[in-house]
Amino acid sequence: MDDHGRGSGPRPPDSGEDPLDPGTPDPLPYEGVWRFTAPAVDASVPQARHAVRDLLYRQGVPVSDDLVQGLLLIVSELVTNAVRHAALLSPMLAVEVAVGAEWVRVSVEDNHPYRPTALEAAHSETGGRGLLLVREVTREAGGVCDVEHTSSGGKVIWAALPLKSVRVS
């Protein structure tokens, strides 16, 4: 998995602060954007999960164990979907982690134009619930998720979660 450092992909919502304004507070030590690329193959799923986990800990992001587990589940589901459904048209995928003072956002980008939707799968089926699971984990954490088209014709699926845990009933 290639680590390209701070990337140029989708970002969490803008805080409205101007980085060139001297009145803007300095970013916290753990804030930043990191982008990893990997081939769209099964082995990339655990590699992406481990890379995200290691990055969060290495940067000292103040995340609870529950939040880390939720983020890793989201990354696993999104990378698995890219491997299973986009690999033919997108042999590479990108995982991005963006961390702000109050949020962390993970996204997976591929070059396949199909925009997936969360489906209810029959109880007898063993798969097909990945995006539904991503949406539910995100909602329970008090975050937001979405799918967007990229300028290259592909898509990026992202989930942004608050660093302070919020439980939604």
Side-chain angles (χ1 to χ4, degrees):
M1 181 167 281
D2 297 322
D3 177 353
H4 296 288
R6 295 171 188 241
S8 63
R11 301 283 181 267
D14 188 5
S15 66
E17 297 174 351
D18 182 356
L20 301 177
D21 178 3
T24 301
D26 289 335
L28 295 168
Y30 58 81
E31 289 184 85
V33 178
W34 297 267
R35 187 173 179 89
F36 308 93
T37 58
V41 297
D42 289 338
S44 293
V45 177
Q47 288 176 348
R49 187 174 54 246
H50 294 146
V52 169
R53 182 200 61 212
D54 294 348
L55 172 71
L56 293 172
Y57 290 131
R58 184 175 65 244
Q59 291 304 121
V61 179
V63 289
S64 67
D65 289 341
D66 286 344
L67 185 65
V68 170
Q69 293 308 312
L71 286 167
L72 298 181
L73 178 61
I74 290 168
V75 168
S76 292
E77 291 296 334
L78 296 182
V79 173
T80 296
N81 283 350
V83 168
R84 287 190 182 160
H85 304 294
L88 187 61
L89 294 178
S90 183
M92 294 296 289
L93 58 91
V95 177
E96 187 171 277
V97 180
V99 182
E102 299 176 356
W103 46 259
V104 60
R105 175 176 164 152
V106 293
S107 62
V108 174
E109 180 178 342
D110 63 57
N111 289 321
H112 196 291
Y114 174 69
R115 185 179 169 127
T117 56
L119 301 173
E120 297 280 342
H123 291 289
S124 60
E125 295 180 30
T126 58
R129 296 177 187 88
L131 286 180
L132 196 60
L133 185 58
V134 166
R135 192 168 52 189
E136 185 61 23
V137 168
T138 302
R139 185 191 68 79
E140 283 187 16
V144 293
C145 59
D146 201 3
V147 180
E148 299 171 357
H149 289 287
T150 63
S151 59
S152 64
K155 67 183 165 302
V156 62
I157 305 173
W158 58 268
L161 307 180
L163 289 176
K164 305 253 188 280
S165 80
V166 176
R167 286 285 183 206
V168 177
S169 307

